[in-house]
Amino acid sequence: MSSFRWLVSSLPPTLPRLMACCSGWVSKNRTACVKLLKSLGAKHVSELDLSNANIDAETKLAIYQTLLGVACREGDLDKTVRAIQGGADVHYGKYWDFDGTMGGEATAMHVAAANGKDKVMEYLIREGGSKVDVPDTGEWGWTPCDWACWQGNPNAIAILLALGADVNRVDRTFGATPCMRAARRGRG
């Protein structure tokens, strides 16, 4: 039985475990995640070929959405393009800022900016329709520029500024701007 036939035949119990493994929800049990992915013929979610998989659209979208977060963290432009072409929404605001796993309040752009992934950021804005100044949906309301400043990613900051990021925008919780954030961290 092929890997995808096995995946399709066992979607209810397998998919939640697969999604958890791929997006980091099961960090305590990496061995089980690696074993599950190997049983599907992959080392990582990015290696799964879903183009001809006989799975429902909602499941495919969930996997591509997970792949987008991982691709933005890693700075992998090919995976980013593949995820978006597969239907992932660049405006989806449920990633954790730094690692791109599911369950947070940030978009793909926040993840790429926090990790200084310049090429991915440019693609998300120019081709994916991502917004430069979109605040995360959490209580802080940080923009990609806030995260790039906090993490000290000068190339990401330069890209965001060139594309019109507002360095004087004040966040919801601390009343701070991206410039203040960079200075606070000693990165300005």
Side-chain angles (χ1 to χ4, degrees):
M1 184 182 290
S2 77
S3 297
F4 271 111
R5 291 191 198 284
W6 180 81
L7 173 63
V8 171
S9 69
S10 59
L11 270 179
T14 304
L15 186 66
R17 290 193 336 255
L18 176 63
M19 295 302 293
C21 291
C22 299
S23 65
W25 289 333
V26 189
S27 58
K28 294 179 182 173
N29 197 352
R30 287 283 178 215
T31 305
C33 291
V34 169
K35 186 177 179 182
L36 175 62
L37 286 168
K38 277 186 180 178
S39 73
L40 298 172
K43 292 180 182 175
H44 192 273
V45 66
S46 62
E47 296 176 3
L48 295 174
D49 179 11
L50 302 176
S51 57
N52 296 316
N54 186 20
I55 55 178
D56 64 270
E58 187 176 337
T59 300
K60 271 188 189 179
L61 180 58
I63 293 173
Y64 279 122
Q65 203 66 57
T66 302
L67 175 60
L68 180 60
V70 171
C72 289
R73 177 191 70 218
E74 295 174 353
D76 191 318
L77 187 56
D78 292 335
K79 288 179 193 172
T80 301
V81 170
R82 198 171 92 194
I84 292 170
Q85 288 174 344
D89 180 2
V90 297
H91 305 293
Y92 181 78
K94 296 293 179 188
Y95 297 112
W96 290 111
D97 301 299
F98 299 114
D99 64 9
T101 57
M102 306 295 264
E105 301 159 331
T107 67
M109 177 58 78
H110 289 91
V111 176
N115 288 284
K117 305 305 180 185
D118 310 345
K119 287 183 179 18
V120 170
M121 289 174 52
E122 289 173 343
Y123 180 82
L124 289 171
I125 292 168
R126 295 185 201 284
E127 304 297 327
S130 197
K131 306 287 186 231
V132 175
D133 274 334
V134 64
D136 63 39
T137 59
E139 65 180 271
W140 295 357
W142 284 15
T143 64
C145 193
D146 285 307
W147 282 109
C149 288
W150 184 253
Q151 289 299 100
N153 295 316
N155 291 341
I157 296 165
I159 289 168
L160 292 165
L161 293 178
L163 293 170
D166 181 3
V167 294
N168 296 311
R169 187 190 166 284
V170 177
D171 68 37
R172 287 193 286 262
T173 302
F174 305 107
T177 66
C179 290
M180 294 165 73
R181 209 165 313 301
R184 167 97 167 90
R185 294 280 288 208
R187 303 187 187 207

